[in-house]
Coordinates of all heavy atoms in Angstrom, one line a residue:
M1 N 88.7 91.1 173.3 CA 90.0 91.7 173.0 C 89.8 93.0 172.2 O 89.1 93.0 171.2 CB 90.8 90.6 172.2 CG 92.2 91.0 171.9 SD 93.2 89.7 171.3 CE 94.2 89.4 172.7
T2 N 90.6 94.0 172.6 CA 90.5 95.3 171.9 C 91.4 95.3 170.7 O 92.5 94.7 170.7 CB 90.7 96.5 172.8 OG1 92.1 96.3 173.3 CG2 89.8 96.5 174.0
K3 N 91.0 96.0 169.7 CA 91.8 96.2 168.5 C 92.9 97.2 168.8 O 92.6 98.2 169.3 CB 90.9 96.6 167.3 CG 91.7 96.7 166.0 CD 90.7 97.1 164.9 CE 91.5 97.3 163.6 NZ 90.7 97.7 162.5
Q4 N 94.1 96.9 168.4 CA 95.2 97.8 168.5 C 95.1 99.0 167.6 O 94.6 98.8 166.5 CB 96.6 97.1 168.3 CG 97.0 96.2 169.4 CD 98.5 95.8 169.2 OE1 98.8 95.4 168.1 NE2 99.3 95.9 170.2
P5 N 95.4 100.2 168.0 CA 95.4 101.3 167.1 C 96.4 101.1 166.0 O 97.4 100.5 166.1 CB 95.8 102.5 168.0 CG 96.3 101.9 169.3 CD 95.9 100.5 169.3
T6 N 96.0 101.7 164.8 CA 96.8 101.6 163.6 C 97.3 102.9 163.2 O 96.5 103.9 163.1 CB 96.0 100.9 162.5 OG1 95.5 99.7 162.9 CG2 96.8 100.8 161.2
L7 N 98.6 103.1 162.9 CA 99.1 104.3 162.4 C 99.1 104.2 160.9 O 99.6 103.3 160.3 CB 100.6 104.5 162.9 CG 101.3 105.8 162.4 CD1 100.7 107.0 163.1 CD2 102.8 105.7 162.7
T8 N 98.4 105.2 160.3 CA 98.2 105.1 158.8 C 99.1 106.2 158.1 O 99.6 107.0 158.8 CB 96.7 105.4 158.4 OG1 96.4 106.7 158.8 CG2 95.8 104.4 159.1
K9 N 99.1 106.1 156.8 CA 99.8 107.1 156.1 C 99.2 108.5 156.3 O 99.9 109.5 156.5 CB 99.8 106.8 154.6 CG 100.6 107.8 153.8 CD 101.0 107.3 152.3 CE 99.9 106.7 151.6 NZ 100.3 106.5 150.1
A10 N 97.9 108.6 156.4 CA 97.2 109.8 156.7 C 97.7 110.4 158.1 O 97.9 111.6 158.3 CB 95.7 109.6 156.7
D11 N 97.9 109.5 159.1 CA 98.4 109.9 160.4 C 99.8 110.5 160.3 O 100.1 111.5 160.9 CB 98.4 108.7 161.4 CG 97.0 108.2 161.7 OD1 96.1 108.9 161.6 OD2 96.9 107.0 161.9
L12 N 100.6 109.8 159.5 CA 102.0 110.3 159.3 C 102.0 111.7 158.6 O 102.8 112.6 159.0 CB 102.8 109.3 158.4 CG 103.1 108.0 159.1 CD1 103.7 107.0 158.1 CD2 104.0 108.2 160.3
I13 N 101.1 111.9 157.6 CA 101.0 113.2 157.0 C 100.6 114.2 158.0 O 101.1 115.4 158.0 CB 100.0 113.1 155.8 CG1 100.6 112.2 154.7 CG2 99.6 114.5 155.3 CD1 99.6 111.8 153.6
E14 N 99.6 113.9 158.8 CA 99.2 114.8 159.9 C 100.3 115.2 160.8 O 100.5 116.4 161.2 CB 98.0 114.2 160.7 CG 96.7 114.2 160.0 CD 96.2 115.6 159.7 OE1 96.3 116.5 160.6 OE2 95.6 115.8 158.6
E15 N 101.1 114.2 161.2 CA 102.3 114.5 162.0 C 103.3 115.4 161.4 O 103.8 116.4 162.0 CB 102.9 113.2 162.4 CG 104.0 113.3 163.5 CD 103.4 113.8 164.9 OE1 102.2 113.6 165.1 OE2 104.2 114.4 165.6
V16 N 103.6 115.2 160.1 CA 104.5 116.1 159.4 C 103.9 117.5 159.3 O 104.6 118.5 159.5 CB 104.8 115.5 157.9 CG1 105.5 116.6 157.1 CG2 105.6 114.2 158.0
L17 N 102.6 117.5 159.1 CA 101.9 118.8 159.0 C 102.1 119.6 160.3 O 102.4 120.8 160.3 CB 100.5 118.6 158.7 CG 99.6 119.8 158.2 CD1 98.6 119.3 157.1 CD2 98.9 120.4 159.3
K18 N 101.9 118.9 161.4 CA 102.0 119.5 162.7 C 103.4 120.0 163.1 O 103.6 121.1 163.5 CB 101.5 118.6 163.8 CG 100.0 118.4 164.0 CD 99.6 117.7 165.3 CE 100.4 116.5 165.6 NZ 99.9 115.7 166.6
V19 N 104.3 119.1 162.8 CA 105.7 119.4 163.2 C 106.3 120.5 162.3 O 107.0 121.4 162.8 CB 106.6 118.1 163.1 CG1 108.1 118.4 163.3 CG2 106.1 117.1 164.2
T20 N 106.1 120.4 161.0 CA 106.7 121.4 160.1 C 105.9 122.6 159.8 O 106.4 123.6 159.4 CB 107.0 120.7 158.7 OG1 105.7 120.3 158.1 CG2 107.9 119.5 158.9
E21 N 104.6 122.5 160.1 CA 103.6 123.6 159.8 C 103.6 123.9 158.3 O 103.3 125.1 157.9 CB 103.9 124.9 160.6 CG 103.8 124.6 162.1 CD 104.1 125.8 163.0 OE1 104.3 126.9 162.4 OE2 104.0 125.7 164.2
L22 N 104.0 123.0 157.5 CA 103.9 123.1 156.0 C 102.4 122.9 155.6 O 101.6 122.3 156.3 CB 104.8 122.1 155.3 CG 106.3 122.3 155.4 CD1 107.0 121.0 154.9 CD2 106.7 123.5 154.7
P23 N 102.1 123.4 154.4 CA 100.7 123.1 153.9 C 100.5 121.5 153.7 O 101.5 120.8 153.6 CB 100.7 123.8 152.5 CG 101.8 124.8 152.6 CD 102.8 124.2 153.5
R24 N 99.3 121.1 153.8 CA 98.9 119.7 153.7 C 99.5 119.1 152.5 O 100.1 118.0 152.5 CB 97.4 119.5 153.7 CG 97.0 118.0 153.5 CD 95.5 117.8 153.7 NE 95.1 118.1 155.0 CZ 95.3 117.3 156.1 NH1 96.0 116.2 155.9 NH2 94.9 117.6 157.3
K25 N 99.4 119.7 151.3 CA 99.9 119.1 150.1 C 101.4 118.9 150.2 O 101.9 117.8 149.7 CB 99.6 120.1 148.9 CG 99.9 119.5 147.5 CD 99.0 118.3 147.3 CE 99.3 117.7 145.9 NZ 98.7 116.4 145.8
E26 N 102.2 119.8 150.7 CA 103.6 119.6 150.9 C 103.9 118.4 151.8 O 104.8 117.7 151.6 CB 104.3 120.9 151.3 CG 104.3 121.9 150.2 CD 105.1 123.2 150.5 OE1 106.0 123.1 151.3 OE2 104.7 124.2 150.0
S27 N 103.1 118.3 152.9 CA 103.3 117.2 153.9 C 103.0 115.9 153.2 O 103.7 114.9 153.4 CB 102.4 117.4 155.1 OG 102.7 118.6 155.8
E28 N 102.0 115.8 152.4 CA 101.7 114.6 151.6 C 102.8 114.3 150.7 O 103.2 113.1 150.6 CB 100.4 114.8 150.8 CG 99.2 114.9 151.6 CD 97.9 115.2 150.8 OE1 98.0 115.3 149.5 OE2 96.8 115.4 151.4
I29 N 103.4 115.2 150.0 CA 104.5 115.0 149.1 C 105.7 114.4 149.9 O 106.4 113.5 149.4 CB 104.9 116.3 148.3 CG1 103.8 116.6 147.3 CG2 106.2 116.1 147.6 CD1 103.9 118.0 146.7
I30 N 106.0 114.9 151.0 CA 107.1 114.5 151.9 C 107.0 113.0 152.2 O 107.8 112.2 152.0 CB 107.3 115.3 153.1 CG1 107.8 116.7 152.8 CG2 108.2 114.6 154.1 CD1 107.8 117.7 153.9
V31 N 105.8 112.6 152.7 CA 105.5 111.2 153.1 C 105.5 110.3 151.9 O 106.2 109.3 151.9 CB 104.2 111.1 153.9 CG1 103.8 109.7 154.1 CG2 104.3 111.9 155.2
E32 N 104.9 110.7 150.8 CA 104.9 109.9 149.6 C 106.3 109.7 149.0 O 106.6 108.6 148.6 CB 104.0 110.6 148.5 CG 102.5 110.5 148.8 CD 102.0 109.1 148.6 OE1 102.6 108.3 147.9 OE2 100.9 108.9 149.2
T33 N 107.1 110.8 149.1 CA 108.5 110.7 148.6 C 109.3 109.7 149.4 O 110.0 108.9 148.8 CB 109.2 112.1 148.6 OG1 108.4 113.0 147.8 CG2 110.6 112.0 148.1
I34 N 109.1 109.7 150.7 CA 109.8 108.7 151.5 C 109.4 107.3 151.2 O 110.3 106.4 151.0 CB 109.6 109.0 153.0 CG1 110.3 110.3 153.4 CG2 110.1 107.9 153.9 CD1 109.9 110.9 154.8
F35 N 108.1 107.0 151.1 CA 107.6 105.7 150.8 C 108.1 105.3 149.4 O 108.5 104.2 149.2 CB 106.1 105.6 150.9 CG 105.6 105.6 152.3 CD1 104.4 106.2 152.6 CD2 106.3 105.1 153.4 CE1 103.9 106.2 153.9 CE2 105.9 105.1 154.7 CZ 104.7 105.7 155.0
D36 N 107.9 106.2 148.4 CA 108.4 105.9 147.1 C 109.8 105.6 147.0 O 110.3 104.6 146.3 CB 108.0 107.0 146.1 CG 106.5 107.2 145.9 OD1 105.8 106.3 146.2 OD2 106.1 108.3 145.3
S37 N 110.7 106.3 147.7 CA 112.1 106.0 147.8 C 112.4 104.7 148.3 O 113.3 104.0 147.8 CB 112.8 107.1 148.6 OG 112.6 108.4 148.0
I38 N 111.7 104.3 149.4 CA 111.9 103.0 150.0 C 111.5 101.9 149.0 O 112.3 100.9 148.8 CB 111.1 102.8 151.3 CG1 111.8 103.8 152.4 CG2 111.1 101.4 151.8 CD1 111.0 103.9 153.7
I39 N 110.4 102.0 148.4 CA 109.9 101.0 147.4 C 110.9 100.9 146.2 O 111.2 99.8 145.8 CB 108.5 101.4 146.9 CG1 107.5 101.2 148.1 CG2 108.1 100.6 145.7 CD1 106.1 101.8 147.8
E40 N 111.3 102.0 145.7 CA 112.2 102.0 144.6 C 113.5 101.3 144.9 O 114.1 100.5 144.2 CB 112.5 103.5 144.1 CG 113.3 103.5 142.9 CD 113.5 105.0 142.4 OE1 112.6 105.8 142.5 OE2 114.6 105.3 142.0
A41 N 114.1 101.6 146.1 CA 115.3 101.0 146.5 C 115.2 99.5 146.7 O 116.0 98.7 146.3 CB 115.8 101.7 147.8
I42 N 114.1 99.1 147.3 CA 113.8 97.6 147.4 C 113.7 97.0 146.1 O 114.2 95.9 145.9 CB 112.6 97.4 148.3 CG1 112.9 97.8 149.8 CG2 112.1 96.0 148.2 CD1 111.7 97.7 150.7
Q43 N 113.0 97.6 145.1 CA 112.8 97.1 143.8 C 114.2 96.9 143.1 O 114.4 96.0 142.3 CB 111.9 97.9 143.0 CG 110.5 97.8 143.3 CD 109.6 98.8 142.6 OE1 110.1 99.9 142.1 NE2 108.3 98.5 142.5
K44 N 115.1 97.8 143.4 CA 116.5 97.7 142.8 C 117.4 96.7 143.6 O 118.5 96.5 143.2 CB 117.2 99.1 142.9 CG 116.6 100.1 142.0 CD 117.3 101.4 142.1 CE 116.7 102.5 141.3 NZ 117.4 103.8 141.6
G45 N 116.9 96.1 144.7 CA 117.6 95.2 145.5 C 118.6 95.9 146.5 O 119.5 95.2 147.0
E46 N 118.4 97.2 146.7 CA 119.2 97.9 147.6 C 118.7 97.7 149.0 O 117.5 97.5 149.3 CB 119.2 99.4 147.3 CG 119.8 99.7 145.9 CD 119.6 101.2 145.5 OE1 118.9 101.9 146.2 OE2 120.2 101.6 144.5
K47 N 119.6 98.0 150.0 CA 119.2 97.9 151.4 C 119.0 99.4 151.8 O 119.7 100.3 151.5 CB 120.3 97.3 152.2 CG 120.1 97.3 153.7 CD 121.3 96.7 154.4 CE 121.1 96.8 155.9 NZ 122.2 96.3 156.7
I48 N 117.9 99.6 152.6 CA 117.6 100.9 153.2 C 117.9 100.8 154.7 O 117.4 99.9 155.3 CB 116.2 101.3 153.0 CG1 115.8 101.4 151.5 CG2 115.9 102.6 153.6 CD1 115.1 100.1 151.0
E49 N 118.7 101.7 155.2 CA 119.0 101.7 156.6 C 118.6 103.1 157.2 O 119.2 104.1 156.7 CB 120.5 101.4 156.9 CG 120.8 101.3 158.3 CD 122.2 100.9 158.6 OE1 122.7 100.0 157.8 OE2 122.8 101.3 159.6
I50 N 117.7 103.1 158.1 CA 117.3 104.3 158.8 C 117.8 104.2 160.3 O 117.2 103.4 161.0 CB 115.8 104.5 158.7 CG1 115.4 104.5 157.3 CG2 115.4 105.8 159.5 CD1 113.9 104.5 157.1
R51 N 118.9 104.9 160.6 CA 119.5 104.7 161.9 C 118.5 105.1 163.0 O 117.8 106.0 162.9 CB 120.7 105.7 162.0 CG 121.8 105.4 161.0 CD 122.6 104.2 161.4 NE 123.4 103.7 160.3 CZ 124.7 103.8 160.2 NH1 125.4 104.4 161.2 NH2 125.3 103.3 159.2
G52 N 118.5 104.2 164.0 CA 117.6 104.4 165.1 C 116.2 103.8 164.9 O 115.4 103.8 165.8
F53 N 116.0 103.3 163.7 CA 114.7 102.8 163.4 C 114.8 101.3 162.9 O 114.3 100.4 163.5 CB 114.0 103.6 162.3 CG 112.6 103.1 162.0 CD1 111.6 103.2 162.9 CD2 112.4 102.5 160.7 CE1 110.3 102.7 162.5 CE2 111.1 102.1 160.4 CZ 110.1 102.2 161.3
G54 N 115.6 101.1 161.8 CA 115.8 99.8 161.3 C 116.2 99.8 159.8 O 116.5 100.8 159.3
S55 N 116.2 98.6 159.2 CA 116.6 98.5 157.9 C 115.6 97.6 157.1 O 115.0 96.8 157.6 CB 118.0 97.9 157.8 OG 118.1 96.6 158.3
F56 N 115.5 97.9 155.8 CA 114.7 97.2 154.9 C 115.6 96.6 153.8 O 116.6 97.2 153.3 CB 113.7 98.1 154.1 CG 112.7 98.8 155.0 CD1 113.1 100.0 155.6 CD2 111.5 98.3 155.2 CE1 112.2 100.7 156.4 CE2 110.6 99.0 156.0 CZ 110.9 100.2 156.6
R57 N 115.3 95.4 153.4 CA 116.0 94.7 152.3 C 115.1 93.6 151.8 O 114.2 93.2 152.4 CB 117.4 94.3 152.6 CG 117.4 93.2 153.7 CD 118.9 92.7 154.0 NE 119.0 92.0 155.2 CZ 119.1 92.5 156.4 NH1 119.2 93.8 156.5 NH2 119.2 91.7 157.4
T58 N 115.4 93.0 150.6 CA 114.7 91.9 150.1 C 115.4 90.6 150.5 O 116.7 90.6 150.5 CB 114.4 92.0 148.6 OG1 115.7 92.1 148.0 CG2 113.5 93.1 148.3
R59 N 114.7 89.6 150.7 CA 115.2 88.2 150.9 C 114.4 87.3 149.9 O 113.3 87.1 150.2 CB 115.0 87.8 152.3 CG 115.9 88.4 153.3 CD 115.9 87.7 154.6 NE 116.8 88.3 155.6 CZ 116.9 88.0 156.8 NH1 116.0 87.2 157.3 NH2 117.8 88.6 157.6
Q60 N 115.1 86.9 149.0 CA 114.5 86.0 147.9 C 113.2 86.6 147.5 O 112.1 86.0 147.5 CB 114.3 84.6 148.5 CG 115.6 83.9 148.9 CD 115.4 82.6 149.5 OE1 114.2 82.1 149.7 NE2 116.4 81.9 149.8
R61 N 113.2 87.9 147.1 CA 112.1 88.6 146.5 C 111.0 88.9 147.6 O 109.9 89.2 147.2 CB 111.5 87.9 145.3 CG 112.5 87.8 144.2 CD 111.9 87.1 143.0 NE 112.9 86.9 142.0 CZ 112.8 87.3 140.8 NH1 111.8 88.0 140.4 NH2 113.7 87.1 139.9
I62 N 111.3 88.7 148.9 CA 110.3 89.0 149.9 C 110.8 90.2 150.7 O 111.9 90.2 151.2 CB 110.2 87.8 150.9 CG1 109.7 86.6 150.1 CG2 109.3 88.2 152.0 CD1 109.7 85.3 150.9
P63 N 110.0 91.3 150.8 CA 110.5 92.4 151.6 C 110.7 92.0 153.1 O 109.9 91.2 153.6 CB 109.3 93.4 151.5 CG 108.6 93.0 150.3 CD 108.8 91.5 150.2
F64 N 111.7 92.5 153.7 CA 112.1 92.1 155.1 C 112.5 93.4 155.8 O 113.2 94.2 155.3 CB 113.3 91.2 155.0 CG 113.8 90.8 156.4 CD1 113.1 89.9 157.2 CD2 114.9 91.4 156.9 CE1 113.6 89.5 158.4 CE2 115.4 91.0 158.2 CZ 114.7 90.1 158.9
F65 N 111.9 93.5 157.0 CA 112.3 94.7 157.9 C 113.0 94.2 159.1 O 112.5 93.3 159.8 CB 111.0 95.5 158.3 CG 111.3 96.5 159.3 CD1 111.9 97.7 158.9 CD2 110.9 96.4 160.6 CE1 112.2 98.7 159.8 CE2 111.1 97.4 161.5 CZ 111.8 98.5 161.1
K66 N 114.1 94.8 159.4 CA 114.8 94.4 160.7 C 114.8 95.7 161.5 O 115.5 96.7 161.2 CB 116.2 94.0 160.3 CG 117.0 93.6 161.6 CD 118.4 93.2 161.2 CE 119.2 92.9 162.5 NZ 120.6 92.7 162.2
P67 N 114.2 95.6 162.7 CA 114.2 96.8 163.6 C 115.5 97.0 164.2 O 116.3 96.1 164.4 CB 113.1 96.5 164.6 CG 113.1 95.0 164.6 CD 113.4 94.5 163.2
S68 N 115.8 98.3 164.5 CA 117.1 98.6 165.2 C 117.0 98.2 166.6 O 115.9 97.9 167.1 CB 117.3 100.1 165.1 OG 116.4 100.8 165.9
K69 N 118.1 98.1 167.3 CA 118.2 97.7 168.7 C 117.4 98.7 169.5 O 116.6 98.3 170.4 CB 119.6 97.7 169.2 CG 119.8 97.3 170.6 CD 121.2 97.4 171.1 CE 121.4 97.0 172.5 NZ 120.5 97.3 173.5
E70 N 117.5 100.0 169.2 CA 116.7 101.0 169.9 C 115.2 100.8 169.8 O 114.5 100.9 170.8 CB 117.1 102.5 169.4 CG 118.5 102.9 169.7 CD 119.4 102.6 168.5 OE1 119.1 101.7 167.6 OE2 120.5 103.2 168.4
L71 N 114.8 100.5 168.6 CA 113.3 100.3 168.4 C 112.9 99.0 169.1 O 111.9 99.0 169.8 CB 113.0 100.2 166.9 CG 111.5 100.0 166.6 CD1 110.7 101.1 167.1 CD2 111.3 99.9 165.0
K72 N 113.7 97.9 169.0 CA 113.3 96.7 169.7 C 113.3 96.9 171.2 O 112.3 96.5 171.9 CB 114.4 95.6 169.5 CG 114.1 94.9 168.2 CD 114.9 93.6 168.2 CE 116.2 93.8 167.4 NZ 117.0 92.6 167.2
D73 N 114.3 97.6 171.8 CA 114.3 97.9 173.2 C 113.1 98.7 173.6 O 112.4 98.4 174.7 CB 115.5 98.7 173.6 CG 116.8 97.8 173.5 OD1 116.7 96.5 173.4 OD2 117.9 98.3 173.6
F74 N 112.7 99.7 172.8 CA 111.5 100.5 173.2 C 110.3 99.7 173.1 O 109.4 99.8 174.1 CB 111.4 101.7 172.2 CG 110.2 102.6 172.4 CD1 110.2 103.5 173.4 CD2 109.1 102.5 171.6 CE1 109.0 104.2 173.7 CE2 108.0 103.2 171.8 CZ 107.9 104.1 172.8
V75 N 110.1 98.9 172.1 CA 108.9 98.1 172.0 C 108.8 97.1 173.1 O 107.7 96.9 173.7 CB 108.8 97.4 170.6 CG1 107.7 96.4 170.5 CG2 108.6 98.5 169.5
N76 N 109.9 96.5 173.4 CA 109.9 95.5 174.5 C 109.6 96.1 175.8 O 108.9 95.5 176.6 CB 111.2 94.7 174.5 CG 111.4 93.8 173.3 OD1 110.4 93.4 172.7 ND2 112.6 93.5 172.9
S77 N 110.1 97.3 176.1 CA 109.9 98.0 177.3 C 108.4 98.4 177.4 O 107.8 98.3 178.5 CB 110.8 99.2 177.6 OG 110.5 100.2 176.6
E78 N 107.8 98.9 176.3 CA 106.4 99.2 176.3 C 105.5 98.0 176.5 O 104.6 98.0 177.2 CB 106.1 99.9 175.0 CG 106.7 101.3 174.8 CD 106.0 102.3 175.7 OE1 104.8 102.3 175.8 OE2 106.8 103.1 176.3
E79 N 105.9 96.9 175.8 CA 105.2 95.7 176.0 C 105.2 95.1 177.4 O 104.2 94.7 177.9 CB 105.7 94.6 175.0 CG 104.9 93.3 174.9 CD 105.5 92.4 173.8 OE1 105.3 92.8 172.6 OE2 106.0 91.4 174.2
A80 N 106.4 95.2 178.0 CA 106.5 94.7 179.4 C 105.7 95.6 180.3 O 105.1 95.0 181.2 CB 108.0 94.7 179.8
A81 N 105.7 96.9 180.1 CA 104.9 97.8 181.0 C 103.5 97.5 180.8 O 102.7 97.5 181.8 CB 105.2 99.2 180.6
A82 N 103.0 97.2 179.6 CA 101.6 96.9 179.4 C 101.2 95.6 180.0 O 100.1 95.5 180.6 CB 101.3 96.9 177.9
M83 N 102.1 94.6 179.9 CA 101.8 93.3 180.5 C 101.7 93.4 182.0 O 100.9 92.8 182.7 CB 102.8 92.3 180.1 CG 102.7 91.9 178.6 SD 104.0 90.8 178.0 CE 103.8 89.4 179.0
T84 N 102.6 94.2 182.6 CA 102.7 94.4 184.1 C 101.4 95.1 184.5 O 100.7 94.7 185.5 CB 103.9 95.2 184.5 OG1 105.1 94.5 184.1 CG2 103.9 95.4 186.0
A85 N 101.0 96.1 183.8 CA 99.8 96.9 184.1 C 98.5 95.9 184.0 O 97.6 96.0 184.9 CB 99.6 98.1 183.2
A86 N 98.5 95.1 183.0 CA 97.4 94.2 182.8 C 97.3 93.2 184.0 O 96.3 92.8 184.5 CB 97.5 93.5 181.5
A87 N 98.5 92.7 184.3 CA 98.6 91.7 185.4 C 98.1 92.3 186.8 O 97.4 91.7 187.5 CB 100.0 91.1 185.6
E88 N 98.6 93.6 187.0 CA 98.2 94.3 188.2 C 96.7 94.5 188.2 O 96.0 94.4 189.3 CB 99.0 95.6 188.3 CG 100.4 95.4 188.7 CD 101.2 96.6 188.6 OE1 100.7 97.7 188.2 OE2 102.4 96.6 188.9
A89 N 96.1 94.9 187.1 CA 94.7 95.2 187.0 C 93.9 93.9 187.2 O 92.9 93.9 187.9 CB 94.3 95.7 185.6
A90 N 94.4 92.8 186.7 CA 93.7 91.5 186.9 C 93.8 91.1 188.4 O 92.8 90.6 188.9 CB 94.3 90.4 186.0
A91 N 94.9 91.3 189.0 CA 95.1 90.9 190.4 C 94.2 91.8 191.2 O 93.6 91.3 192.2 CB 96.6 91.1 190.8
A92 N 94.1 93.1 190.9 CA 93.2 94.0 191.7 C 91.7 93.6 191.5 O 91.0 93.6 192.5 CB 93.4 95.4 191.2
G93 N 91.4 93.1 190.3 CA 90.0 92.7 190.0 C 89.7 91.4 190.8 O 88.6 91.2 191.3
N94 N 90.7 90.5 190.9 CA 90.5 89.2 191.6 C 90.4 89.5 193.1 O 89.7 88.8 193.8 CB 91.6 88.2 191.3 CG 91.5 87.7 189.9 OD1 90.5 87.7 189.3 ND2 92.6 87.3 189.4
S95 N 91.1 90.4 193.6 CA 91.1 90.7 195.1 C 89.8 91.4 195.5 O 89.4 91.3 196.7 CB 92.3 91.5 195.5 OG 92.2 92.8 195.0
N96 N 89.1 92.0 194.6 CA 87.9 92.7 194.9 C 86.7 91.8 194.9 O 85.6 92.2 195.2 CB 87.6 93.9 193.9 CG 88.6 95.0 194.1 OD1 89.2 95.2 195.1 ND2 88.8 95.8 193.0
S97 N 86.9 90.5 194.4 CA 85.8 89.6 194.3 C 85.4 89.0 195.6 O 86.1 88.8 196.5 CB 86.2 88.4 193.4 OG 86.6 88.9 192.1

């Protein structure tokens, strides 16, 4: 089984750097500020809602993330496409035997 790729904070910083063409330090500050703001709001018991992505809130002191409908639909469509491709590849492999 292959390991799924992981998107890291460094990857997000690189993406901000590419899109905005800001210096690396400023891109790092942007990403850090977003994460710090989310953490601070959760610590205060506030709900964070990012339209088109999802929302964060605590449940009995446990962080909880609820994806938006758009994100769920996208992930589910990507997952279905991957499963279909894998099934087709397996079927092609079995027919070549």
Side-chain angles (χ1 to χ4, degrees):
M1 182 171 251
T2 60
K3 184 178 177 183
Q4 283 189 313
T6 302
L7 180 69
T8 65
K9 183 166 42 172
D11 296 330
L12 293 172
I13 291 167
E14 284 296 322
E15 190 63 26
V16 169
L17 195 144
K18 281 192 316 190
V19 171
T20 64
E21 298 181 1
L22 290 170
R24 175 171 298 283
K25 188 64 181 167
E26 289 182 32
S27 297
E28 289 174 5
I29 290 169
I30 290 169
V31 172
E32 287 290 336
T33 300
I34 292 168
F35 288 147
D36 290 346
S37 298
I38 290 171
I39 291 167
E40 185 178 322
I42 289 174
Q43 287 174 336
K44 291 179 182 176
E46 297 173 350
K47 178 181 174 184
I48 299 100
E49 185 173 325
I50 303 169
R51 299 284 163 107
F53 182 70
S55 60
F56 299 85
R57 65 178 163 273
T58 56
R59 287 191 176 172
Q60 298 176 355
R61 300 181 186 235
I62 299 170
F64 176 77
F65 172 74
K66 179 181 177 186
S68 68
K69 180 182 181 324
E70 294 93 340
L71 181 59
K72 276 196 262 185
D73 290 347
F74 177 76
V75 169
N76 289 337
S77 68
E78 290 290 315
E79 187 175 289
M83 290 174 62
T84 301
E88 289 172 355
N94 288 338
S95 66
N96 292 336
S97 304

